[in-house]
Amino acid sequence: MTDYASPLLLGYARRDLYLSDPHIEQMKQDLKALADLEGYTMGPVYVEDPASAPAAFDALVEAVKRHEITTVLLPDWRHLALVGAPAAIKQQFEQVTGARFLLYSADP
């Protein structure tokens, strides 16, 4: 059951930084667990394929603007590197959308 009262979180990750689809699914489950813990509802995780970049990032930006999302989870800053220099992409993303990136690390 989806909790529409809690804020929606989206995610973004690069496919080529994972060994296999099961690793990607585990990352998505990790992001969902963090969202649940922090009182968010986890929405889609936009997974960027290097062959079609920046299609997933562009879709993410549109979804953030359309749904007035305030936070996007990233496993690591290098996930932005397919789109450009991570620091520049972060700054541009925040200016264009008003949302911020939140880093998630599975490390203790």
XYZ file of all heavy atoms in Angstrom:
843
model
N 0.841 -1.175 0.000
C 0.000 0.000 0.000
C 0.886 1.237 0.000
O 1.835 1.339 0.765
C -0.892 -0.002 1.226
C -1.852 1.136 1.265
S -3.051 0.806 2.570
C -3.642 2.422 2.841
N 0.599 2.191 -0.871
C 1.378 3.407 -0.977
C 0.843 4.447 -0.007
O -0.358 4.687 0.062
C 1.325 3.960 -2.420
O 1.815 2.946 -3.296
C 2.173 5.190 -2.557
N 1.759 5.081 0.738
C 1.398 6.126 1.679
C 1.546 7.472 0.985
O 2.644 7.971 0.829
C 2.302 6.055 2.904
C 2.009 7.132 3.925
O 1.022 7.872 3.755
O 2.770 7.237 4.895
N 0.424 8.055 0.589
C 0.464 9.314 -0.140
C 0.625 10.507 0.790
O 0.776 11.637 0.344
C -0.778 9.472 -1.012
C -0.814 8.458 -2.127
C -1.673 7.365 -2.080
C 0.040 8.569 -3.211
C -1.684 6.423 -3.093
C 0.035 7.628 -4.231
C -0.830 6.572 -4.161
O -0.839 5.636 -5.161
N 0.599 10.283 2.115
C 0.765 11.372 3.060
C 2.238 11.714 3.262
O 2.563 12.828 3.655
C 0.125 11.010 4.396
N 3.136 10.763 3.033
C 4.553 11.043 3.214
C 5.154 11.537 1.902
O 4.690 11.193 0.822
C 5.278 9.802 3.726
O 5.091 8.719 2.869
N 6.202 12.371 2.005
C 6.808 12.927 0.786
C 7.422 11.844 -0.094
O 7.922 10.831 0.408
C 7.884 13.869 1.311
C 7.947 13.693 2.771
C 6.846 12.813 3.211
N 7.382 12.076 -1.380
C 7.901 11.130 -2.364
C 9.378 11.392 -2.619
O 9.799 12.536 -2.780
C 7.113 11.284 -3.674
C 7.461 10.345 -4.811
C 7.151 8.901 -4.433
C 6.675 10.739 -6.062
N 10.144 10.321 -2.640
C 11.566 10.354 -2.973
C 11.769 9.634 -4.295
O 11.126 8.616 -4.555
C 12.353 9.581 -1.926
C 13.093 10.311 -0.833
C 13.810 9.311 0.069
C 14.037 11.322 -1.336
N 12.663 10.143 -5.106
C 13.066 9.456 -6.329
C 14.536 9.095 -6.199
O 15.245 9.642 -5.354
C 12.852 10.348 -7.556
C 11.428 10.823 -7.807
C 11.379 11.715 -9.034
C 10.475 9.669 -7.940
N 15.004 8.213 -7.052
C 16.407 7.829 -7.048
C 16.999 7.922 -8.440
O 16.278 7.966 -9.442
N 18.323 7.951 -8.498
C 19.027 7.989 -9.775
C 20.327 7.200 -9.612
O 21.029 7.348 -8.610
C 19.350 9.426 -10.187
C 20.113 9.522 -11.485
C 19.456 9.374 -12.698
C 21.482 9.730 -11.499
C 20.159 9.442 -13.901
C 22.190 9.808 -12.691
C 21.520 9.656 -13.882
O 22.206 9.718 -15.069
N 20.641 6.362 -10.606
C 21.864 5.565 -10.566
C 22.295 5.193 -11.980
O 21.475 5.169 -12.899
C 21.644 4.294 -9.746
N 23.566 4.898 -12.124
C 24.122 4.426 -13.396
C 24.142 2.915 -13.430
O 24.665 2.270 -12.529
C 25.568 4.909 -13.538
C 25.712 6.353 -13.804
C 27.158 6.797 -13.746
N 28.057 5.973 -14.551
C 29.357 6.246 -14.664
N 29.896 7.256 -14.040
N 30.112 5.459 -15.411
N 23.639 2.356 -14.498
C 23.622 0.904 -14.673
C 25.048 0.334 -14.727
O 25.320 -0.737 -14.175
C 22.875 0.543 -15.954
C 22.841 -0.953 -16.245
C 21.952 -1.312 -17.396
N 20.568 -0.933 -17.175
C 19.708 -1.589 -16.407
N 20.096 -2.650 -15.759
N 18.472 -1.167 -16.278
N 25.973 1.006 -15.367
C 27.312 0.457 -15.572
C 28.164 0.392 -14.302
O 29.242 -0.181 -14.313
C 28.047 1.226 -16.668
C 28.271 2.683 -16.332
O 27.363 3.316 -15.745
O 29.357 3.215 -16.648
N 27.687 0.934 -13.198
C 28.424 0.850 -11.934
C 28.024 -0.367 -11.107
O 28.498 -0.539 -9.987
C 28.240 2.134 -11.127
C 28.843 3.390 -11.761
C 28.571 4.611 -10.889
C 30.335 3.223 -12.018
N 27.161 -1.207 -11.665
C 26.705 -2.422 -10.988
C 27.075 -3.636 -11.833
O 27.064 -3.567 -13.059
C 25.196 -2.374 -10.732
C 24.863 -1.274 -9.745
C 24.535 -0.008 -10.186
C 24.939 -1.508 -8.373
C 24.280 1.008 -9.281
C 24.679 -0.494 -7.470
C 24.353 0.762 -7.924
O 24.109 1.774 -7.038
N 27.361 -4.730 -11.159
C 27.797 -5.943 -11.854
C 26.684 -6.620 -12.630
O 26.932 -7.230 -13.669
C 28.396 -6.940 -10.851
C 29.657 -6.468 -10.133
C 30.063 -7.475 -9.066
C 30.777 -6.242 -11.136
N 25.438 -6.541 -12.104
C 24.347 -7.280 -12.729
C 23.004 -6.685 -12.313
O 22.936 -5.841 -11.413
C 24.400 -8.749 -12.308
O 24.174 -8.844 -10.905
N 21.947 -7.159 -12.952
C 20.603 -6.703 -12.595
C 20.245 -7.001 -11.142
O 19.623 -6.162 -10.491
C 19.561 -7.293 -13.551
C 19.611 -6.645 -14.931
O 20.200 -5.547 -15.059
O 19.070 -7.235 -15.876
N 20.640 -8.174 -10.588
C 20.349 -8.391 -9.156
C 21.003 -7.343 -8.245
O 20.440 -6.962 -7.227
C 20.897 -9.796 -8.879
C 20.793 -10.484 -10.212
C 21.122 -9.410 -11.219
N 22.192 -6.854 -8.625
C 22.841 -5.799 -7.845
C 22.047 -4.497 -7.934
O 21.929 -3.768 -6.951
C 24.278 -5.585 -8.328
C 25.194 -6.701 -7.976
N 25.520 -7.686 -8.873
C 25.827 -7.014 -6.818
C 26.339 -8.545 -8.300
N 26.533 -8.169 -7.044
N 21.502 -4.219 -9.101
C 20.668 -3.021 -9.264
C 19.412 -3.145 -8.423
O 18.999 -2.189 -7.749
C 20.333 -2.788 -10.755
C 21.606 -2.393 -11.503
C 19.246 -1.723 -10.905
C 21.459 -2.365 -12.993
N 18.808 -4.319 -8.426
C 17.603 -4.527 -7.607
C 17.913 -4.381 -6.119
O 17.108 -3.827 -5.370
C 16.969 -5.886 -7.912
C 16.317 -5.939 -9.278
C 15.323 -4.812 -9.523
O 14.462 -4.559 -8.654
O 15.422 -4.170 -10.578
N 19.084 -4.851 -5.695
C 19.479 -4.696 -4.294
C 19.656 -3.223 -3.946
O 19.239 -2.763 -2.881
C 20.764 -5.464 -3.996
C 21.181 -5.363 -2.533
C 20.134 -5.914 -1.586
O 19.722 -7.057 -1.717
N 19.692 -5.119 -0.617
N 20.267 -2.446 -4.840
C 20.435 -1.014 -4.622
C 19.069 -0.354 -4.474
O 18.850 0.465 -3.586
C 21.222 -0.398 -5.785
C 21.326 1.116 -5.755
S 20.023 2.026 -6.660
C 20.142 1.384 -8.305
N 18.106 -0.726 -5.323
C 16.761 -0.156 -5.239
C 16.110 -0.499 -3.902
O 15.451 0.356 -3.293
C 15.891 -0.651 -6.395
C 16.281 -0.068 -7.744
C 15.378 -0.636 -8.832
C 15.704 -0.088 -10.194
N 14.805 -0.640 -11.236
N 16.307 -1.719 -3.434
C 15.756 -2.125 -2.138
C 16.425 -1.355 -0.998
O 15.759 -0.972 -0.023
C 15.895 -3.634 -1.928
C 14.997 -4.455 -2.824
C 13.527 -4.072 -2.677
O 13.006 -3.931 -1.577
N 12.858 -3.882 -3.803
N 17.725 -1.115 -1.121
C 18.440 -0.331 -0.114
C 17.913 1.104 -0.063
O 17.720 1.665 1.020
C 19.940 -0.307 -0.404
C 20.606 -1.669 -0.209
O 19.990 -2.565 0.420
O 21.738 -1.833 -0.706
N 17.669 1.685 -1.236
C 17.129 3.051 -1.279
C 15.731 3.084 -0.670
O 15.389 4.007 0.077
C 17.110 3.586 -2.716
C 18.465 3.785 -3.401
C 18.263 4.373 -4.795
C 19.393 4.661 -2.592
N 14.917 2.075 -0.970
C 13.566 2.013 -0.409
C 13.608 1.883 1.106
O 12.841 2.531 1.819
C 12.772 0.865 -1.013
C 11.337 0.820 -0.490
C 10.555 -0.306 -1.070
C 9.124 -0.358 -0.584
N 8.819 0.186 0.711
N 14.525 1.066 1.617
C 14.653 0.893 3.064
C 15.020 2.213 3.735
O 14.466 2.562 4.789
C 15.695 -0.179 3.378
N 15.933 2.975 3.122
C 16.296 4.283 3.671
C 15.103 5.231 3.635
O 14.835 5.941 4.602
C 17.474 4.884 2.906
C 17.875 6.294 3.354
C 18.360 6.277 4.798
C 18.912 6.870 2.434
N 14.390 5.240 2.527
C 13.206 6.102 2.407
C 12.188 5.770 3.490
O 11.665 6.661 4.166
C 12.587 5.959 1.018
N 11.918 4.487 3.671
C 10.972 4.052 4.707
C 11.436 4.500 6.088
O 10.640 5.001 6.884
C 10.811 2.533 4.692
C 10.096 2.011 3.457
O 9.477 2.814 2.720
O 10.169 0.794 3.211
N 12.709 4.323 6.369
C 13.279 4.688 7.663
C 13.137 6.185 7.938
O 12.870 6.594 9.064
C 14.755 4.282 7.703
C 15.493 4.525 9.002
C 14.958 3.622 10.103
C 16.985 4.286 8.803
N 13.287 6.988 6.887
C 13.235 8.441 7.030
C 11.834 9.020 6.863
O 11.659 10.231 6.890
C 14.198 9.094 6.034
C 15.652 8.747 6.279
C 16.183 9.277 7.606
O 15.729 10.337 8.055
O 17.056 8.610 8.191
N 10.827 8.158 6.657
C 9.454 8.640 6.559
C 9.035 9.115 5.177
O 8.087 9.883 5.043
N 9.718 8.649 4.148
C 9.386 8.980 2.762
C 8.702 7.790 2.091
O 8.801 6.666 2.560
C 10.653 9.300 1.957
C 11.309 10.605 2.295
C 12.292 10.679 3.277
C 10.978 11.764 1.618
C 12.920 11.877 3.581
C 11.595 12.971 1.903
C 12.573 13.017 2.889
O 13.193 14.205 3.186
N 8.078 8.058 0.983
C 7.592 7.018 0.090
C 8.567 6.956 -1.085
O 8.820 7.975 -1.727
C 6.180 7.346 -0.428
O 5.293 7.399 0.682
C 5.699 6.308 -1.425
N 9.141 5.787 -1.335
C 10.114 5.659 -2.421
C 9.400 5.490 -3.740
O 8.589 4.587 -3.918
C 11.029 4.460 -2.172
C 12.216 4.387 -3.125
S 13.385 5.710 -2.786
C 13.971 6.059 -4.443
N 9.679 6.388 -4.660
C 9.163 6.295 -6.015
C 10.172 5.579 -6.898
O 11.044 4.853 -6.399
N 10.107 5.795 -8.184
C 11.023 5.112 -9.095
C 12.482 5.523 -8.909
O 12.769 6.652 -8.511
C 10.548 5.547 -10.483
C 9.249 6.224 -10.292
C 9.128 6.628 -8.874
N 13.359 4.590 -9.224
C 14.781 4.881 -9.317
C 15.092 4.911 -10.812
O 14.886 3.923 -11.519
C 15.643 3.811 -8.608
C 17.123 4.094 -8.819
C 15.297 3.752 -7.125
N 15.534 6.052 -11.277
C 15.859 6.217 -12.696
C 17.272 5.673 -12.908
O 18.232 6.186 -12.341
C 15.763 7.690 -13.090
C 14.334 8.179 -13.073
C 13.716 8.537 -11.882
C 13.606 8.245 -14.244
C 12.393 8.960 -11.863
C 12.287 8.665 -14.237
C 11.687 9.024 -13.038
O 10.376 9.445 -13.028
N 17.377 4.616 -13.719
C 18.659 3.946 -13.948
C 19.151 4.314 -15.337
O 18.498 4.026 -16.345
C 18.535 2.417 -13.777
C 19.870 1.746 -14.037
C 18.034 2.083 -12.364
N 20.312 4.969 -15.349
C 20.893 5.484 -16.597
C 21.733 4.417 -17.282
O 22.653 3.863 -16.682
C 21.769 6.694 -16.283
C 22.184 7.483 -17.491
C 21.032 8.321 -18.030
O 20.663 9.328 -17.411
O 20.508 7.957 -19.109
N 21.409 4.136 -18.530
C 22.208 3.244 -19.360
C 23.163 4.128 -20.161
O 22.720 5.077 -20.805
C 21.292 2.463 -20.300
C 22.029 1.387 -21.057
O 23.162 1.639 -21.515
O 21.463 0.305 -21.204
N 24.467 3.849 -20.125
C 25.415 4.692 -20.852
C 25.072 4.869 -22.336
O 25.328 5.923 -22.909
C 26.752 3.960 -20.694
C 26.600 3.178 -19.444
C 25.144 2.779 -19.391
N 24.468 3.860 -22.952
C 24.141 3.940 -24.381
C 23.058 4.963 -24.681
O 22.977 5.470 -25.801
C 23.718 2.565 -24.895
N 22.219 5.272 -23.715
C 21.128 6.223 -23.969
C 21.204 7.467 -23.092
O 20.263 8.261 -23.056
C 19.783 5.528 -23.751
O 19.685 5.046 -22.425
N 22.326 7.641 -22.383
C 22.483 8.815 -21.504
C 22.376 10.099 -22.321
O 22.837 10.139 -23.450
C 23.826 8.753 -20.794
N 21.706 11.105 -21.836
C 21.158 11.321 -20.504
C 19.642 11.108 -20.418
O 18.947 11.824 -19.694
C 21.509 12.770 -20.239
C 21.304 13.421 -21.584
C 21.749 12.363 -22.595
N 19.104 10.136 -21.111
C 17.648 9.948 -21.161
C 17.027 9.773 -19.777
O 16.003 10.389 -19.462
C 17.304 8.754 -22.054
N 17.619 8.934 -18.930
C 17.050 8.715 -17.592
C 17.167 9.969 -16.736
O 16.258 10.302 -15.979
C 17.724 7.533 -16.905
N 18.286 10.691 -16.870
C 18.452 11.926 -16.100
C 17.422 12.965 -16.529
O 16.817 13.639 -15.687
C 19.871 12.478 -16.255
C 20.142 13.641 -15.346
C 20.471 13.423 -14.009
C 20.063 14.938 -15.810
C 20.712 14.496 -13.157
C 20.304 16.013 -14.975
C 20.633 15.793 -13.637
N 17.208 13.090 -17.824
C 16.197 14.036 -18.322
C 14.805 13.665 -17.814
O 14.029 14.538 -17.412
C 16.203 14.072 -19.855
C 17.470 14.699 -20.423
O 18.204 15.376 -19.674
O 17.724 14.499 -21.628
N 14.492 12.376 -17.799
C 13.200 11.922 -17.279
C 13.092 12.211 -15.782
O 12.033 12.603 -15.291
C 13.010 10.435 -17.552
N 14.190 12.045 -15.063
C 14.223 12.366 -13.641
C 13.916 13.843 -13.415
O 13.079 14.191 -12.572
C 15.596 12.016 -13.053
C 15.860 12.517 -11.633
C 15.014 11.757 -10.621
C 17.345 12.422 -11.305
N 14.572 14.714 -14.152
C 14.345 16.163 -14.008
C 12.877 16.499 -14.256
O 12.264 17.247 -13.486
C 15.278 16.962 -14.944
C 14.879 18.433 -14.987
C 16.734 16.807 -14.499
N 12.305 15.924 -15.291
C 10.888 16.185 -15.584
C 9.984 15.692 -14.462
O 9.036 16.367 -14.066
C 10.489 15.544 -16.916
C 11.069 16.249 -18.122
C 10.746 17.742 -18.146
O 9.561 18.107 -17.964
O 11.682 18.540 -18.333
N 10.262 14.512 -13.923
C 9.452 13.965 -12.830
C 9.589 14.814 -11.573
O 8.598 15.063 -10.870
C 9.863 12.528 -12.540
N 10.794 15.271 -11.277
C 11.014 16.128 -10.105
C 10.198 17.403 -10.232
O 9.523 17.823 -9.280
C 12.525 16.442 -9.934
C 12.744 17.587 -8.957
C 13.272 15.194 -9.480
N 10.221 18.014 -11.395
C 9.451 19.254 -11.603
C 7.948 18.980 -11.578
O 7.196 19.718 -10.939
C 9.867 19.923 -12.917
C 11.301 20.452 -12.858
C 11.647 21.440 -13.936
C 11.836 20.880 -15.284
N 12.362 21.825 -16.265
N 7.497 17.932 -12.238
C 6.074 17.619 -12.329
C 5.465 17.303 -10.969
O 4.368 17.739 -10.650
C 5.857 16.440 -13.285
C 4.394 16.063 -13.486
C 4.178 14.930 -14.507
N 5.305 14.662 -15.380
C 6.077 13.572 -15.318
N 5.852 12.643 -14.427
N 7.077 13.401 -16.160
N 6.195 16.553 -10.146
C 5.660 16.099 -8.859
C 6.163 16.924 -7.677
O 5.890 16.571 -6.526
C 5.993 14.621 -8.643
C 5.401 13.729 -9.681
N 4.049 13.506 -9.799
C 5.990 13.025 -10.675
C 3.835 12.689 -10.821
N 4.991 12.390 -11.367
N 6.916 17.996 -7.982
C 7.459 18.880 -6.948
C 8.238 18.105 -5.882
O 8.072 18.285 -4.691
C 6.349 19.733 -6.324
C 5.669 20.617 -7.349
C 4.529 21.453 -6.779
O 4.251 21.372 -5.565
O 3.939 22.206 -7.566
N 9.104 17.223 -6.366
C 9.961 16.417 -5.503
C 11.038 17.329 -4.912
O 11.559 18.203 -5.602
C 10.632 15.279 -6.318
C 9.578 14.411 -7.012
C 11.578 14.467 -5.467
C 8.651 13.674 -6.105
N 11.374 17.104 -3.649
C 12.394 17.936 -3.011
C 13.726 17.225 -2.833
O 14.744 17.872 -2.619
C 11.920 18.435 -1.628
O 11.654 17.300 -0.800
C 10.670 19.295 -1.764
N 13.727 15.879 -2.916
C 14.952 15.126 -2.656
C 15.066 13.935 -3.608
O 14.093 13.239 -3.847
C 14.967 14.607 -1.203
O 14.723 15.694 -0.322
C 16.294 13.968 -0.859
N 16.279 13.732 -4.116
C 16.592 12.580 -4.966
C 17.772 11.853 -4.335
O 18.797 12.466 -4.012
C 16.949 13.025 -6.405
C 17.423 11.848 -7.239
C 15.763 13.717 -7.056
N 17.614 10.554 -4.148
C 18.687 9.735 -3.583
C 19.679 9.310 -4.654
O 19.290 8.896 -5.742
C 18.105 8.476 -2.935
C 17.383 8.664 -1.614
C 16.743 7.340 -1.179
C 18.322 9.166 -0.558
N 20.956 9.421 -4.321
C 22.060 8.968 -5.177
C 22.921 7.998 -4.376
O 23.238 8.276 -3.218
C 22.979 10.136 -5.527
C 22.649 11.073 -6.643
C 23.749 12.121 -6.735
C 22.473 10.366 -7.941
N 23.351 6.899 -4.965
C 24.271 6.013 -4.254
C 25.655 6.654 -4.050
O 26.332 6.355 -3.080
C 24.366 4.785 -5.148
C 23.108 4.821 -5.956
C 22.815 6.277 -6.167
N 26.051 7.533 -4.972
C 27.393 8.118 -4.927
C 27.427 9.246 -5.966
O 26.693 9.195 -6.956
C 28.409 7.016 -5.287
C 29.837 7.449 -5.124
O 30.328 8.206 -5.984
O 30.468 7.039 -4.140
N 28.290 10.239 -5.761
C 28.377 11.357 -6.724
C 28.772 10.897 -8.121
O 28.371 11.502 -9.113
C 29.370 12.418 -6.237
C 28.870 13.181 -5.074
C 29.421 13.229 -3.825
C 27.686 13.994 -5.006
N 28.652 14.012 -3.002
C 27.587 14.498 -3.700
C 26.696 14.331 -5.927
C 26.548 15.331 -3.289
C 25.662 15.158 -5.522
C 25.596 15.657 -4.212
N 29.540 9.823 -8.224
C 29.994 9.383 -9.557
C 28.838 8.915 -10.442
O 28.996 8.777 -11.645
C 31.080 8.319 -9.455
C 30.646 7.066 -8.779
C 31.812 6.186 -8.416
N 31.299 5.158 -7.542
C 31.620 3.902 -7.613
N 32.474 3.490 -8.514
N 31.092 3.047 -6.783
N 27.666 8.702 -9.870
C 26.503 8.325 -10.668
C 26.069 9.466 -11.591
O 25.383 9.241 -12.577
C 25.348 7.874 -9.769
C 25.592 6.522 -9.190
N 25.089 5.373 -9.753
C 26.323 6.132 -8.118
C 25.487 4.333 -9.031
N 26.240 4.768 -8.042
N 26.481 10.686 -11.275
C 26.154 11.833 -12.136
C 27.146 12.010 -13.279
O 26.900 12.799 -14.198
C 26.124 13.125 -11.306
C 25.066 13.200 -10.221
C 25.217 14.503 -9.432
C 23.670 13.110 -10.824
N 28.257 11.299 -13.261
C 29.342 11.530 -14.210
C 28.999 11.237 -15.663
O 29.652 11.762 -16.568
C 30.583 10.743 -13.797
N 27.981 10.429 -15.930
C 27.572 10.203 -17.332
C 26.953 11.464 -17.935
O 26.957 11.645 -19.142
C 26.549 9.072 -17.421
C 27.086 7.659 -17.474
C 25.931 6.659 -17.499
C 27.988 7.449 -18.663
N 26.411 12.308 -17.077
C 25.722 13.517 -17.532
C 26.682 14.690 -17.630
O 26.500 15.590 -18.448
C 24.549 13.847 -16.577
C 23.744 15.026 -17.089
C 23.650 12.638 -16.380
N 27.718 14.687 -16.817
C 28.698 15.772 -16.802
C 29.490 15.734 -15.512
O 29.422 14.764 -14.757
N 30.221 16.815 -15.242
C 30.982 16.907 -13.995
C 29.996 16.921 -12.825
O 29.099 17.765 -12.786
C 31.839 18.161 -13.996
N 30.120 15.979 -11.891
C 29.128 15.866 -10.825
C 28.829 17.164 -10.066
O 27.666 17.473 -9.818
C 29.719 14.791 -9.901
C 30.462 13.903 -10.852
C 31.074 14.860 -11.837
N 29.848 17.943 -9.722
C 29.604 19.190 -8.984
C 28.776 20.163 -9.823
O 27.856 20.827 -9.309
C 30.919 19.830 -8.560
N 29.070 20.254 -11.109
C 28.322 21.152 -11.991
C 26.893 20.657 -12.196
O 25.942 21.450 -12.189
C 29.032 21.285 -13.334
N 26.724 19.359 -12.370
C 25.386 18.779 -12.549
C 24.557 18.998 -11.290
O 23.380 19.353 -11.352
C 25.471 17.284 -12.913
C 26.150 17.114 -14.274
C 24.104 16.630 -12.896
C 25.461 17.858 -15.418
N 25.170 18.787 -10.119
C 24.476 19.006 -8.848
C 23.966 20.443 -8.754
O 22.801 20.690 -8.448
C 25.406 18.700 -7.675
C 24.806 18.984 -6.312
C 25.861 18.798 -5.223
C 25.323 19.067 -3.843
N 24.934 20.441 -3.606
N 24.837 21.384 -9.029
C 24.461 22.799 -8.945
C 23.358 23.146 -9.947
O 22.368 23.790 -9.601
C 25.682 23.680 -9.183
C 25.372 25.159 -9.072
C 26.609 26.017 -9.292
O 27.610 25.561 -9.860
N 26.544 27.252 -8.848
N 23.498 22.699 -11.173
C 22.499 22.983 -12.202
C 21.164 22.320 -11.852
O 20.101 22.935 -11.984
C 22.992 22.492 -13.561
C 22.036 22.789 -14.687
C 22.537 22.269 -16.017
O 23.509 21.536 -16.106
N 21.854 22.648 -17.077
N 21.199 21.080 -11.398
C 19.989 20.357 -11.020
C 19.247 21.109 -9.921
O 18.030 21.293 -9.979
C 20.367 18.947 -10.557
C 19.208 18.131 -10.064
C 18.402 17.437 -10.961
C 18.917 18.041 -8.714
C 17.336 16.673 -10.513
C 17.856 17.276 -8.250
C 17.062 16.596 -9.157
N 19.975 21.534 -8.896
C 19.351 22.246 -7.782
C 18.743 23.576 -8.232
O 17.664 23.948 -7.778
C 20.362 22.446 -6.657
C 20.705 21.133 -5.973
C 21.832 21.239 -4.947
O 22.489 22.309 -4.873
O 22.054 20.259 -4.226
N 19.419 24.274 -9.137
C 18.888 25.550 -9.643
C 17.647 25.346 -10.493
O 16.673 26.074 -10.366
C 19.952 26.290 -10.464
C 21.060 26.866 -9.628
C 22.156 27.475 -10.478
O 22.259 27.234 -11.682
N 23.006 28.265 -9.855
N 17.649 24.342 -11.342
C 16.544 24.104 -12.271
C 15.319 23.515 -11.575
O 14.191 23.881 -11.890
C 17.009 23.176 -13.427
C 15.835 22.672 -14.250
C 18.013 23.895 -14.307
N 15.549 22.620 -10.600
C 14.428 21.892 -10.008
C 14.039 22.366 -8.607
O 12.918 22.134 -8.167
C 14.742 20.385 -9.896
O 15.814 20.199 -8.961
C 15.093 19.801 -11.252
N 14.964 22.979 -7.893
C 14.712 23.332 -6.500
C 14.866 22.141 -5.564
O 14.707 22.264 -4.358
N 15.180 20.972 -6.112
C 15.381 19.757 -5.315
C 16.859 19.619 -4.980
O 17.707 20.309 -5.541
C 14.898 18.533 -6.087
N 17.145 18.699 -4.082
C 18.541 18.433 -3.721
C 18.819 16.948 -3.836
O 17.905 16.130 -3.773
C 18.832 18.911 -2.305
C 18.075 18.123 -1.251
C 18.276 18.707 0.153
N 17.470 17.981 1.105
C 17.887 16.969 1.845
N 19.137 16.569 1.735
N 17.098 16.356 2.697
N 20.089 16.623 -4.009
C 20.525 15.239 -3.987
C 20.903 14.868 -2.560
O 21.491 15.656 -1.833
C 21.744 15.025 -4.885
C 21.435 15.047 -6.354
C 21.948 16.045 -7.156
C 20.647 14.071 -6.918
C 21.681 16.068 -8.511
C 20.371 14.086 -8.282
C 20.891 15.083 -9.073
N 20.548 13.646 -2.176
C 20.944 13.090 -0.894
C 21.727 11.824 -1.192
O 21.240 10.949 -1.921
C 19.704 12.760 -0.049
C 19.941 12.093 1.293
C 20.705 13.043 2.226
C 18.608 11.705 1.914
N 22.949 11.732 -0.671
C 23.772 10.558 -0.916
C 23.366 9.438 0.018
O 23.140 9.645 1.204
C 25.261 10.860 -0.697
C 25.913 11.756 -1.710
C 27.396 11.882 -1.385
C 25.730 11.251 -3.124
N 23.304 8.239 -0.551
C 23.031 7.042 0.218
C 24.254 6.162 0.147
O 24.803 5.934 -0.926
C 21.837 6.279 -0.349
C 21.760 4.885 0.201
C 21.293 4.666 1.482
C 22.228 3.795 -0.524
C 21.254 3.389 2.015
C 22.203 2.521 0.003
C 21.714 2.325 1.268
O 21.699 1.069 1.807
N 24.674 5.655 1.265
C 25.783 4.712 1.273
C 25.363 3.468 2.033
O 24.821 3.564 3.133
C 27.015 5.333 1.939
O 28.026 4.369 2.046
N 25.598 2.308 1.461
C 25.271 1.051 2.113
C 26.322 0.693 3.147
O 26.135 -0.216 3.936
C 25.158 -0.064 1.084
N 27.443 1.416 3.164
C 28.501 1.143 4.136
C 28.049 1.581 5.522
O 27.396 2.604 5.679
C 29.782 1.905 3.762
C 30.313 1.477 2.419
O 30.103 0.317 2.025
O 30.952 2.329 1.753
N 28.436 0.826 6.567
C 28.061 1.195 7.943
C 28.742 2.445 8.416
O 29.719 2.880 7.935
C 28.490 -0.014 8.763
C 29.355 -0.857 7.915
C 29.163 -0.423 6.507
